[in-house]
Amino acid sequence: MMMKEHSRDASNASFFSTTSFNTKNILPIAAQFSSSISSINEILNVDYQVEHQDVDASWYRRFFYGRDHPTFIGIVEPYGPVIVSIIHDTFNPVGDIYWYRYIVRKRDVPDHRGVLAGQAYFGEPMWEDLLKMIDRNFVPHRLTKFITTPELGQELLNLDESRLQTQYKIGVLYQAPSQMSEEEWFANTTASPAYERFLKILGNKIELQGWQRFCGGLDTKTGGTGKYSIYDTGSWKDFEIMYHVSTMLPFEDKNRLQITRKRHIGNDIVCIVFQDVPRPFSPFAIRSQFLHVYVIVSPVYFNNGQEAYRVEILCKEGVPSFGPALPEPPIFYDPISLKKFLVATVINGQNAAWKTLKLNEPFLRARNGRVCDIAKRYAPVVLTPLTPPQSPKRLPRDDLDGALKRLFIKELKRNGSLPDIMLVKSLLDKGANPNVRIPRTKPSREQLNQQSAASTSTHNSSNSESSENETIYKLPNILFASIVLSDDPVYIKLLINYGAETMPRDSRFPNAFVFAARYKRVEIMRCLLENVPSLSDPESVDAAIVERGNNKNTVGNKLWGEVKRFKNTFIS
């Protein structure tokens, strides 16, 4: 039988009935969850599932690592760098059929894993046939077979398990009844008895000095992050959690922002906020680039003195749905069920938050770099000759320039996309000139008139018609052609590294920044200002603003605002 809440918490009961179920009306963004569990008894018996984690990332450790197997590495279009591991599995053969496991790693995630059925063999397996079964693009001349040395095996193991996490650091913040700002929350040195009881539910209080297990970035030698913390292991599967408890981290008398505390909790991804009195909480209340998931816990009291806990979960935009689902009502009467639910929630919540653009993009860049590094060291890019070579001599410079020019002319004629970056890089590595002139198809009279109206103030109105036409439909190099085709800053940075000029020698052309402004290439403009300091002079930026202001045929003010913001950021 449900007990009534104590009279001294009548205001809290009113809050539950009127406010707590209208979070979305108070906050602009809240977590979305699966269907709720009808009874807390189901929580006690449920075995929560690990979500948003590539649990099969341990395949290499389980089936490959330490065993003899080949690794195939190469550059395969359209994927780019590819690393394939294949091993003859220990499954018992069925007749003449043998089983093979494989892992395909590319720049994109997740990795592709599977099992193949192949013919029985005598001696070396038919690797070529197995590769074609995985992907028809995996042909021998594109992938080189390597013996998997212990060093290569360790690299692949680290690559596969880079996001396979078993140790988590979670923030814990105390919010007193009258406190409304993060400065007040981080400044707490004492807390309520209810909060202290809640910490005992979370885990064991451990002394940091000399601590030998997972420390979550806390100082275990000099006491720089306090004397104690809360640690938990074994509550759910094999996960370890070190809690960054605000009231246990060092308090700095002369630091209003409490940098030490904020440095740890503000760099966590999930934070548990304990409120003595429940009140609306915004996921933007704490200024942090990393915090994405908040678990709000507040005590509930009943007539017989029993203490229960109410839980609410809030997320920033972009965090995908995750479980376990909250019960209905979201009140936990048993400390064991509360702890089990919280541990599963903070772990799955952090796994889900890793998929947001803000957190996932740096990981993908790092992984892409590691895959490319392995491919570059083991199977460097080899240029396919453009014409059958008559001798081992290098291709003439004119042939390389012509091939590079044709790549861009083809795309410009059909208003297509950027040429394949690996092919362009191969030509540049062989000595092609990045500043080769790129002719464009002459525009129609109507297009010519439109672009003439958008030309910069640096163009003299007395220029001859031939000069004006050349400015419009002849480009100084492949960097300018890339600006015409797409807003790709990675592509532009590669060309800059290979010596593409951003300030053409032909005075009839604007610099690359002004030219990018003409085509509204906002990301390229940002890339140019970051990588070519000479383009950040006031005259160049002002010219880009004039370019935008004189172009009456464009729509919207997005570029205008971006350029002004660039001016304030880079030139102020």
Side-chain angles (χ1 to χ4, degrees):
M1 180 177 179
M2 186 72 68
M3 294 170 283
K4 293 183 179 180
E5 296 180 1
H6 199 281
S7 58
R8 66 183 174 91
D9 290 298
S11 60
N12 291 0
S14 175
F15 176 84
F16 294 151
S17 61
T18 61
T19 306
S20 60
F21 296 104
N22 295 318
T23 303
K24 294 180 182 178
N25 296 331
I26 300 171
L27 303 176
I29 301 166
Q32 302 296 315
F33 296 93
S34 55
S35 58
S36 59
I37 298 176
S38 58
S39 171
I40 196 65
N41 291 327
E42 297 181 31
I43 295 265
L44 293 171
N45 299 318
V46 71
D47 183 18
Y48 300 130
Q49 299 297 314
V50 179
E51 300 178 10
H52 298 287
Q53 190 176 80
D54 185 6
V55 293
D56 287 333
S58 61
W59 257 42
Y60 193 79
R61 181 183 295 275
R62 292 160 55 195
F63 303 114
F64 293 78
Y65 190 64
R67 298 173 56 190
D68 291 336
H69 66 280
T71 300
F72 298 85
I73 305 175
I75 307 297
V76 180
E77 297 302 333
Y79 312 123
V82 173
I83 305 171
V84 183
S85 298
I86 307 178
I87 193 168
H88 177 220
D89 206 279
T90 55
F91 292 156
N92 294 324
V94 179
D96 292 335
I97 302 298
Y98 282 74
W99 300 96
Y100 301 86
R101 288 185 186 267
Y102 67 88
I103 303 174
V104 179
R105 308 168 187 87
K106 296 176 286 190
R107 289 179 292 190
D108 298 329
V109 290
D111 296 332
H112 178 45
R113 309 178 186 92
V115 179
L116 294 174
Q119 295 295 323
Y121 64 92
F122 299 95
E124 188 77 358
M126 301 297 292
W127 301 117
E128 178 179 345
D129 294 338
L130 293 173
L131 287 170
K132 288 182 178 179
M133 291 172 65
I134 298 172
D135 192 305
R136 63 182 181 180
N137 293 308
F138 293 171
V139 291
H141 71 274
R142 294 180 179 175
L143 288 169
T144 304
K145 178 186 173 185
F146 294 90
I147 297 174
T148 307
T149 61
E151 293 76 17
L152 177 57
Q154 186 64 50
E155 279 192 272
L156 297 179
L157 180 67
N158 295 339
L159 177 66
D160 288 1
E161 296 186 356
S162 57
R163 188 53 72 82
L164 191 61
Q165 192 172 1
T166 59
Q167 298 173 326
Y168 293 76
K169 53 189 185 73
I170 306 296
V172 179
L173 199 59
Y174 172 66
Q175 180 181 1
S178 60
Q179 295 178 338
M180 299 297 293
S181 66
E182 66 169 296
E183 287 79 9
E184 293 176 303
W185 307 334
F186 281 106
N188 284 320
T189 56
T190 59
S192 65
Y195 170 76
E196 298 295 340
R197 291 192 295 271
F198 173 70
L199 292 183
K200 293 180 180 179
I201 295 175
L202 282 184
N204 298 317
K205 185 176 182 180
I206 57 99
E207 187 171 352
L208 290 173
Q209 187 76 25
W211 179 252
Q212 298 295 321
R213 305 190 67 174
F214 174 61
C215 64
L218 299 178
D219 185 358
T220 60
K221 295 181 179 180
T222 65
T225 55
K227 187 175 182 180
Y228 300 103
S229 191
I230 301 295
Y231 170 82
D232 180 66
T233 185
S235 294
W236 189 43
K237 304 187 183 299
D238 58 348
F239 296 114
E240 291 181 89
I241 300 178
M242 178 62 77
Y243 291 98
H244 292 161
V245 184
S246 61
T247 52
M248 292 183 175
L249 291 168
F251 175 79
E252 299 165 296
D253 292 325
K254 298 181 180 180
N255 191 330
R256 182 179 64 86
L257 299 178
Q258 297 299 319
I259 297 301
T260 301
R261 293 179 171 184
K262 182 70 178 288
R263 184 175 70 246
H264 288 282
I265 297 177
N267 285 316
D268 293 332
I269 296 174
V270 181
C271 181
I272 299 174
V273 180
F274 186 90
Q275 299 178 332
D276 280 331
V277 177
R279 62 177 67 250
F281 188 91
S282 168
F284 304 103
I286 300 175
R287 295 180 292 275
S288 169
Q289 297 292 319
F290 296 95
L291 284 172
H292 277 63
V293 179
Y294 295 88
V295 182
I296 316 301
V297 180
S298 54
V300 181
Y301 301 98
F302 296 92
N303 289 332
N304 64 350
Q306 180 186 3
E307 185 177 47
Y309 296 90
R310 186 182 186 281
V311 177
E312 184 179 11
I313 304 170
L314 303 173
C315 299
K316 288 184 178 178
E317 185 177 17
V319 179
S321 304
F322 62 89
L326 281 166
E328 182 60 40
I331 299 177
F332 292 80
Y333 307 93
D334 176 69
I336 297 176
S337 64
L338 173 66
K339 179 177 181 178
K340 186 175 182 181
F341 177 86
L342 290 179
V343 170
T345 296
V346 298
I347 289 174
N348 285 339
Q350 178 158 323
N351 294 341
W354 277 120
K355 295 185 175 182
T356 61
L357 181 62
K358 182 71 177 179
L359 299 179
N360 197 38
E361 188 175 1
F363 166 76
L364 292 179
R365 282 201 304 267
R367 174 192 162 84
N368 184 19
R370 295 172 71 176
V371 172
C372 291
D373 178 65
I374 294 174
K376 182 178 180 180
R377 284 188 284 112
Y378 285 88
V381 176
V382 178
L383 175 66
T384 302
L386 301 174
T387 58
Q390 304 300 320
S391 68
K393 295 180 181 179
R394 294 183 61 181
L395 290 172
R397 176 70 173 269
D398 290 343
D399 288 352
L400 293 168
D401 291 351
L404 185 63
K405 184 187 298 185
R406 287 192 294 272
L407 288 176
F408 284 90
I409 292 175
K410 177 182 177 182
E411 297 299 332
L412 289 168
K413 282 183 177 179
R414 60 189 185 92
N415 293 324
S417 57
L418 289 167
D420 182 87
I421 192 170
M422 297 302 295
L423 185 53
V424 172
K425 182 178 183 299
S426 298
L427 291 168
L428 294 173
D429 286 337
K430 289 294 181 178
N433 179 16
N435 295 304
V436 62
R437 296 289 295 271
I438 307 294
R440 296 178 59 188
T441 302
K442 187 172 181 178
S444 65
R445 183 176 298 275
E446 180 182 356
Q447 292 173 326
L448 197 61
N449 292 335
Q450 289 178 353
Q451 294 198 31
S452 296
S455 61
T456 64
S457 59
T458 59
H459 289 176
N460 194 319
S461 60
S462 63
N463 284 349
S464 65
E465 184 179 354
S466 61
S467 298
E468 181 71 17
N469 290 351
E470 184 176 34
T471 301
I472 292 172
Y473 68 89
K474 291 187 178 180
L475 302 171
N477 59 30
I478 61 175
L479 184 142
F480 280 69
S482 301
I483 292 174
V484 173
L485 289 169
S486 179
D487 190 11
D488 189 338
V490 176
Y491 209 100
I492 295 298
K493 187 171 183 179
L494 173 73
L495 300 183
I496 293 174
N497 291 339
Y498 275 92
E501 294 177 349
T502 58
M503 303 183 72
R505 300 174 186 176
D506 191 335
S507 61
R508 290 169 295 185
F509 288 93
N511 66 45
F513 179 77
V514 176
F515 192 77
R518 175 181 301 177
Y519 285 88
K520 300 190 293 186
R521 305 305 193 198
V522 175
E523 295 302 322
I524 290 179
M525 294 166 69
R526 181 180 289 110
C527 173
L528 289 169
L529 290 186
E530 290 175 351
N531 292 278
V532 187
S534 60
L535 294 179
S536 64
D537 64 279
E539 292 184 2
S540 295
V541 179
D542 287 339
I545 295 176
V546 172
E547 178 75 26
R548 168 62 183 87
N550 290 339
N551 191 351
K552 299 179 180 179
N553 295 315
T554 57
V555 293
N557 293 317
K558 178 180 178 181
L559 179 63
W560 177 261
E562 290 286 349
V563 175
K564 286 186 174 180
R565 191 152 50 249
F566 289 152
K567 184 174 183 180
N568 294 334
T569 301
F570 290 96
I571 304 175
S572 59

